[in-house]
């Protein structure tokens, strides 16, 4: 019980100033989640994670939501908690190029990026990486990325190779090179499958980064600054904490 109280208190402290600042455009809140909702991995806990994720989204009120190991059908399930937002889903690919499917009836398996509608923009970009580790990478998927570029705020999500650190690093560098070309403030969030030491080789000028004690990270371009960060206990519904970042 003490653990829950600490987490909720931390969130309350973060959400209140962020909500106040939103009206002036002074802050951007980013929420990164890996929800293990595909149904193929041992961390799968069914729809319990959807309930918990929606609760965390409603409480933290993110302007940018990045979700990894999710299903295409989850986009509409997150909309009520997220509010008006642009959304882009990208599927991971099987080795033959076909989309990886979630177990059950939730559609394709991959990543979601959602950005509050107040930031405008209409462009969408997504794809798979040039570098892929295909020997024994999880369920054998080709890893993918998705971005919503806009002059007011650009945002990307990704889930990198889990079984080969050099491949994950090459994928990270490819995405950060792409993100560096976007207009205006830019945020890149995801499960990079690299801890802090490995991520340092992906860090580049023009961006700063903050990460969890494990593999979830958020990059922000230098026209944004990190104000607060907090890990969120997902209460056993997935094998990753949430990662909540407020940027000024």
């Amino acid at each position: 019980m003490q653990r829950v109280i600490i987490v909720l208190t931390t969130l309350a402290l973060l959400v209140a100033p962020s909500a106040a600042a939103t009206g002036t455009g002074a802050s951007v809140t980013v929420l990164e989640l890996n929800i293990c909702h595909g149904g193929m991995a041992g961390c799968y806990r069914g729809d319990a994670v959807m309930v918990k994720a929606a609760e965390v989204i409603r409480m933290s009120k993110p302007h940018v939501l990045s979700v990894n190991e999710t299903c295409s059908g989850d986009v509409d399930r997150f909309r009520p908690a997220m509010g008006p937002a642009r959304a882009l889903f990208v599927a991971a690919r099987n080795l033959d190029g076909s989309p990886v499917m979630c177990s059950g009836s939730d559609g394709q398996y991959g990543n979601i990026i959602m950005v509050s509608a107040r930031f405008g923009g209409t462009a969408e970009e997504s794809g798979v990486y040039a570098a892929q580790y295909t020997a024994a990478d999880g369920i054998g998927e080709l890893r993918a990325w998705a971005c919503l570029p806009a002059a007011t705020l650009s945002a990307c999500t990704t889930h990198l190779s889990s079984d080969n650190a050099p491949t994950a690093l090459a994928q990270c560098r490819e995405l950060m090179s792409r993100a560096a070309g976007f207009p205006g403030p830019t945020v890149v969030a995801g499960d990079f499958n690299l801890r802090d030491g490995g991520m340092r080789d992906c860090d580049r000028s023009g961006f700063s980064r903050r990460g969890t004690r494990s593999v979830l990270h958020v990059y922000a371009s230098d026209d944004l600054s990190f104000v607060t960060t907090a890990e969120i206990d997902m209460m056993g519904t997935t094998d990753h904490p949430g990662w909540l970042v407020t940027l000024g």
Side-chain angles (χ1 to χ4, degrees), residues 9-187:
T9 301
T10 302
L11 280 172
L13 290 172
L14 286 171
V15 170
S18 176
T22 300
T24 64
S27 72
V28 175
T29 302
V30 182
L31 177 62
E32 158 60 26
L33 300 172
N34 181 324
I35 62 173
C36 193
H37 196 229
M40 296 81 71
C43 55
Y44 178 63
R45 297 293 181 269
D47 269 5
V49 73
M50 295 299 293
V51 175
K52 182 60 180 176
E55 172 190 318
V56 170
I57 294 166
R58 282 192 297 269
M59 182 173 290
S60 58
K61 298 179 174 63
H63 303 107
V64 177
L65 173 64
S66 166
V67 189
N68 311 127
E69 293 195 52
T70 188
C71 303
S72 55
D74 295 343
V75 173
D76 288 338
R77 298 179 67 181
F78 285 139
R79 283 193 184 278
M82 183 69 181
R86 302 165 56 212
L88 178 61
F89 173 86
V90 62
R93 298 285 167 173
N94 293 304
L95 302 187
D96 64 2
S98 62
V100 178
M101 303 302 294
C102 288
S103 298
S105 59
D106 289 319
Q108 298 177 2
Y109 168 84
N111 306 292
I112 296 169
I113 185 72
M114 300 182 76
V115 178
S116 172
R118 67 183 290 265
F119 289 106
T122 58
E124 299 180 353
E125 297 184 15
S126 63
V128 296
Y129 291 102
Q132 298 285 348
Y133 182 66
T134 58
D137 194 350
I139 58 171
E141 82 255 24
L142 303 178
R143 301 296 172 127
W145 54 271
C147 298
L148 293 171
T152 48
L153 180 69
S154 298
C156 300
T157 185
T158 194
H159 183 206
L160 302 187
S161 179
S162 60
D163 292 342
N164 190 270
T167 301
L169 177 58
Q171 293 169 345
C172 182
R173 287 172 170 169
E174 179 182 335
L175 179 58
M176 292 308 299
S177 293
R178 182 178 300 276
F182 289 149
T186 301
V187 172

Side-chain angles (χ1 to χ4, degrees), residues 186-202:
T186 301
V187 172
V188 181
D191 181 340
F192 288 79
N193 273 312
L194 293 168
R195 294 182 183 273
D196 187 64
M199 287 294 291
R200 289 173 191 161
D201 291 331
C202 186

Side-chain angles (χ1 to χ4, degrees), residues 203-219:
D203 294 345
R204 61 177 294 148
S205 61
F207 285 84
S208 299
R209 174 181 55 84
R210 298 290 185 275
T212 62
R213 291 166 289 180
S214 56
V215 295
L216 305 185
H217 301 269
V218 171
Y219 278 102

